[in-house]
Amino acid sequence: MKAVILVGGQGSRLRPITYHIPKALVPLRNQPFMGYMVEFLRRGGLDGAVLSLGYLPDPIQAYFADRKDLDGFSLDYAVEDRPLGTAGGLKNAEPYLDRGDGPLVVVNGDVLTGLDLGELLEAHRESGAQATITLTSVEDPTAYGLVEVDSEMQVHRFLEKPAYDEVTTNLVNAGIYVLEPEVLEMIPADQEVSIEREIFPELQARGTLRAHVSSAYWRDVGTPRSYLMASHDVLSGAVGTEPGFEYLQIDASTKVGKGVKLLPPLSIAPDCVFEEGATVGGRSSLGRGCRIGRGATVEGSVVLDGAEIEPGAVVRGSVIGPEVRVGQDAIVRGLSVLGAEAVIGEGNVLDQGLRVNPGVVLQPRSLNF
Ligand code: GDD
Ligand code: MG
């Protein structure tokens, strides 16, 4: 059985990181997100996937081309030349699917989950529905597809991105589906079509859309807040899917100065340098070749490859893009997101979800949020 992974979106809510790195490849504990997705599908017993690509397809294909450990898990790529939406992207993957294979798993390529795919497949087989969608509960359903079900798990309403006054339940679409092949016939080819706004409401009206509620770990990594939370969860083992979990990932290439404090859970990629008295607080992840200066502090953050945090600077709960330089005594906190190669001059203070575009240079002490 195969899956279609929808990974063609622009990741606009995760900009400026996604200007260079597609959302599908943002690292969690120094492993690109797609690594978790493929593990999830393999755990569920699937033997291959078609990636439905659009935005930045090349790095995603290059990532898989480099992986030599997929033993028999087949991968195909369907690349669209313009965004076709979630159903259009699925339709575009159809030539790589074999109708005789029976039902098909479809996943949004940005959900991190400990869900047991086998249970979902079982629920689908038992109900005989044309489509079974996984539901999870969230605090605020307005950023998701709200789903009303009855006690038999029959879907009565699917409402994508409800307004606050339309919220009637906290059960939402988790972006993991099992579809019978005939659902593909409902999708017109070469057109932009949304599975959530067009196909699911139609299946619901036909009475053939079922739901399977899951209480397993689940998170959509598509915003800075949820990406950071997912990173924290993966670092602390909260997703619950990794055997032999280690709280401190570090290797012999790391250079650690006098009085440096490294507080797990931490993931440190090769070739990082920690200068005297630096502190790297728990739930941080540092990419390859980062430098943390004398007395600097990094806490609860994702720092991507080659970033430099200069002496005395503080980075808390933020995402630092590749090759960024955070100047001496600067403070970056409160879910700030810095694009690749940005330079934060000495003494600046960045807070409240501030986003700095790639390559932007902030003069010393020019910002104090
Ligand atoms: N191929 C292709 N083409 N893929 C796309 C396109 C497209 O035009 N647009 C989006 N995708 C992919 C994205 O890359 C992502 O992996 C997935 O489809 C879902 O798109 P998002 O943009 O992340 O949607 P969302 O998070 O706002 O909402 C969706 O996910 C929620 C759960 O996380 C919906 O399915 C909601 O109903 C759901 O609750
Ligand atoms: Mg999403």
Side-chain angles (χ1 to χ4, degrees):
M1 185 186 248
K2 271 195 196 176
V4 173
I5 314 177
L6 297 168
V7 276
Q10 298 195 1
S12 53
R13 285 162 293 185
L14 209 49
R15 285 180 189 152
I17 295 301
T18 42
Y19 282 127
H20 295 93
I21 308 172
K23 185 162 63 169
L25 294 184
V26 292
L28 292 171
R29 200 165 175 256
N30 281 309
Q31 183 185 184
F33 185 71
M34 269 303 107
Y36 295 86
M37 178 55 78
V38 167
E39 271 327 297
F40 163 66
L41 297 174
R42 279 166 47 151
R43 263 198 321 275
L46 271 59
D47 46 32
V50 184
L51 279 99
S52 171
L53 303 162
Y55 177 71
L56 293 181
D58 298 347
I60 301 177
Q61 295 192 49
Y63 164 72
F64 283 114
D66 281 351
R67 277 196 59 172
K68 304 293 176 217
D69 58 342
L70 291 170
D71 354 295
F73 191 84
S74 73
L75 286 167
D76 291 289
Y77 305 98
V79 187
E80 50 200 45
D81 46 20
R82 69 199 154 85
L84 294 173
T86 44
L90 167 59
K91 184 75 179 175
N92 201 43
E94 193 176 10
Y96 300 94
L97 300 167
D98 191 347
R99 258 198 93 105
D101 279 356
L104 155 84
V105 171
V106 177
V107 281
N108 285 349
D110 62 349
V111 296
L112 175 69
T113 181
L115 172 93
D116 180 346
L117 206 46
E119 281 179 14
L120 171 67
L121 291 166
E122 187 57 35
H124 178 77
R125 266 192 292 271
E126 275 177 11
S127 77
Q130 281 193 313
T132 305
I133 61 180
T134 308
L135 308 186
T136 188
S137 51
V138 293
E139 245 170 63
D140 174 11
T142 60
Y144 304 94
L146 175 139
V147 185
E148 289 176 8
V149 285
D150 65 17
S151 55
E152 306 288 299
M153 290 297 127
Q154 178 90 11
V155 174
H156 282 263
R157 193 171 185 215
F158 191 108
L159 183 59
E160 184 64 14
K161 310 278 167 16
Y164 282 102
D165 61 1
E166 292 175 309
V167 173
T168 49
T169 169
N170 63 352
L171 286 177
V172 299
N173 169 26
I176 305 163
Y177 325 124
V178 187
L179 309 180
E180 289 301 319
E182 59 260 30
V183 173
L184 290 171
E185 286 161 20
M186 297 167 64
I187 310 170
D190 299 320
Q191 278 182 40
E192 188 178 344
V193 187
S194 159
I195 201 164
E196 299 86 352
R197 294 178 196 273
E198 296 167 70
I199 306 302
F200 288 154
E202 193 178 327
L203 284 166
Q204 179 269 315
R206 292 182 187 177
T208 183
L209 183 61
R210 288 284 181 138
H212 170 72
V213 179
S214 164
S215 56
Y217 178 93
W218 180 90
R219 198 181 292 286
D220 171 324
V221 303
T223 66
R225 178 183 297 278
S226 61
Y227 172 43
L228 261 188
M229 288 169 85
S231 172
H232 294 173
D233 292 341
V234 170
L235 284 160
S236 44
V239 184
T241 51
E242 274 191 81
F245 185 80
E246 283 171 13
Y247 283 96
L248 182 61
Q249 261 188 336
I250 192 166
D251 80 353
S253 65
T254 312
K255 292 199 177 65
V256 182
K258 244 182 38 202
V260 166
K261 287 198 197 102
L262 300 178
L263 310 170
L266 272 186
S267 168
I268 299 169
D271 303 322
C272 288
V273 177
F274 299 88
E275 292 174 3
E276 201 174 320
T279 302
V280 180
R283 301 187 304 167
S284 291
S285 170
L286 275 60
R288 205 170 253 276
C290 291
R291 173 181 291 271
I292 311 299
R294 204 185 159 100
T297 301
V298 174
E299 211 177 79
S301 296
V302 177
V303 181
L304 299 179
D305 293 358
E308 263 187 68
I309 314 299
E310 291 189 345
V314 175
V315 173
R316 276 211 172 90
S318 293
V319 183
I320 310 297
E323 312 292 332
V324 162
R325 213 168 82 224
V326 176
Q328 199 161 326
D329 299 322
I331 299 174
V332 179
R333 64 185 175 210
L335 277 176
S336 297
V337 186
L338 312 187
E341 295 176 24
V343 178
I344 309 304
E346 188 182 332
N348 280 295
V349 180
L350 276 55
D351 199 350
Q352 298 179 26
L354 192 86
R355 302 191 190 200
V356 179
N357 273 338
V360 165
V361 177
L362 289 182
Q363 294 308 311
R365 281 173 288 275
S366 54
L367 252 186
N368 193 339
F369 248 77

